[in-house]
Amino acid sequence: MMQSNPLALLPLVLFLALFVGSGLYFHAQSVEFAFYQVQAPVAILPAVVLAILLARGPLNQRIDTFVKGVGDSTIITMCLIYLLAGAFASVAKATGGVDATVSLGLSLIPAPLVLPGLFVITAFIATAMGTSMGTIAAVAPIAVGVADTTGLALPLCVGTVIGGAMFGDNLSIISDTTIAATRTQGCSMRDKFRMNLAIAAPAALLTLVWLFLQGESGTVPVNEDVALLPVLPYIAVLGLALAGINVMLVLFSGLLLAGLIGLLNGADYTLVNLSKDIYAGYSGMQEILLLSLLIGGLGALVASEGGLAFLSRCVDRLTRGLQQRGHERRAGELGISGAVALTNVCTANNTVAILISGQLARDVAERHKVDARRSASLLDIFSCVVQGLLPYGAQILLASSLAGLSPLALAGSIHYCLLLGLAALVAIILGRPRH
């Protein structure tokens, strides 16, 4: 077993101190776009240097560990999704898809139900697609249009989309997190889904009530002229997702269809315009792409030097202490939840967090007599809770890039993830559901 090393966590602490600390400082100075004064891909560079200096072994070996983390298949896949998501969002907006979809949605949903409707639609798409990233890429621009049209707060609308996306990511049977959680814990997807839904459903219902109350002030203008053709790319994305097609192929197909509609439907829209819009979408994803690559390398260095092993040992000690006080089941479940949550804070990737803490969670579950379905559900739930609230997590970074918002400002508007975490804690305390 890898030796634990608390000092290996220092680079992550340094990154958070520089990124969050500088943002808070400039915010206190009333500087506009406070969290963009020191960009996250720049704030992480000193942390990377520190991680390389703290690592053991020859310098070339340490750099090789960092490069392998940057080139991890999960990280590269995420980056490709970023590029396709940016291109799709850019072209769909330029060809009128966003405006048309907003108009269609607002014509079908009563004004007080705009936010709940946005949450339900996003949750449905995410469950069908099995990925929060692809869902956010498709729906976040629509949320921006809804905010502009209804007068509702932009962070609230975009936060609603992230919450719905995390709902689907947490429950979808084709989601990476579901696959990772069930495989590491040794239970079926169907059983995990049932256990998971019993915890997530109350949180979703409370979220819908909250969104209904928050959305009452919105005003929906009457627009009888709704163009349906530009909406087709979004319908195609949903249909392909329901068919179980790979998310990258889904986004690429949506991009091609949006471009084709623009070329056929707009007299002034040419291949040159399409090319520029695609590149503009790429450019809009530059920050999140760079940060994801660098976080992948930093996470690999932290893990290789025992930083994550230290967190695992701390969680293990905590569960043993609670067990001695007569709370065996609760100790195990809290330990599993804490392990994946802390790992997710360090890796900023919920699937990776589940894979890293999966074996520890299984050992804790066996020692504390926690049902495998329960441990798989808690792994998935708390990884999604943390991932959906991390200002430097992929979901918030993607949504903030598409909406032009500060990641930290957006993190405070994702009510579903907060309620999901609360519902899971209540379930642990009460021991429900049992089956």
Side-chain angles (χ1 to χ4, degrees), residues 411-422:
S413 300
I414 307 170
H415 307 296
Y416 171 71
C417 289
L418 291 171
L419 291 172
L420 178 61
L422 179 61

Side-chain angles (χ1 to χ4, degrees), residues 287-310:
E287 180 179 357
I288 181 179
L289 190 148
L290 290 175
L291 181 59
S292 296
L293 293 173
L294 294 172
I295 279 183
L298 179 61
L301 286 169
V302 170
S304 69
E305 291 305 304
L308 298 180
F310 171 75

Side-chain angles (χ1 to χ4, degrees), residues 45-258:
L45 289 178
V48 171
V49 173
L50 179 60
I52 293 176
L53 292 176
L54 291 176
R56 292 162 293 183
L59 178 60
N60 286 341
Q61 180 182 329
R62 287 176 268 172
I63 295 177
D64 185 58
T65 299
F66 171 77
V67 172
K68 287 181 178 178
V70 170
D72 180 81
S73 61
T74 301
I75 299 296
I76 297 300
T77 300
M78 284 169 48
C79 290
L80 292 174
I81 291 174
Y82 294 154
L83 293 175
L84 289 173
F88 172 69
S90 178
V91 173
K93 181 177 181 180
T95 55
V98 174
D99 293 336
T101 305
V102 170
S103 298
L104 178 61
L106 294 180
S107 68
L108 298 175
I109 302 174
L113 298 179
V114 168
L115 285 176
L118 188 61
F119 179 87
V120 171
I121 291 170
T122 306
F124 178 71
I125 294 174
T127 303
M129 292 182 68
T131 170
S132 56
M133 294 298 294
T135 302
I136 291 171
V139 186
I142 297 175
V144 175
V146 169
D148 293 339
T149 305
T150 62
L152 294 170
L154 179 57
L156 179 61
C157 292
V158 179
T160 298
V161 168
I162 297 176
M166 297 314 294
F167 174 91
D169 194 3
N170 179 214
L171 286 172
S172 176
I173 61 173
I174 61 174
S175 168
D176 288 347
T177 59
T178 295
I179 295 171
T182 52
R183 286 184 178 179
T184 58
Q185 302 309 295
C187 69
S188 70
M189 292 186 182
R190 184 177 62 179
D191 290 341
K192 180 263 183 188
F193 175 85
R194 291 175 177 174
M195 181 74 71
N196 207 152
L197 183 62
I199 298 174
L205 291 175
L206 288 174
T207 301
L208 291 175
V209 173
W210 171 258
L211 292 175
F212 171 75
L213 296 175
Q214 294 297 303
E216 285 186 311
S217 61
T219 58
V220 179
V222 178
N223 184 6
E224 298 180 356
D225 185 19
V226 178
L228 296 179
L229 187 61
V231 182
L232 285 180
Y234 291 103
I235 298 176
V237 165
L238 176 58
L240 291 173
L242 288 171
I245 306 300
N246 181 277
V247 61
M248 286 191 287
L249 183 57
V250 168
L251 289 171
F252 185 70
S253 300
L255 168 63
L256 289 180
L257 183 56

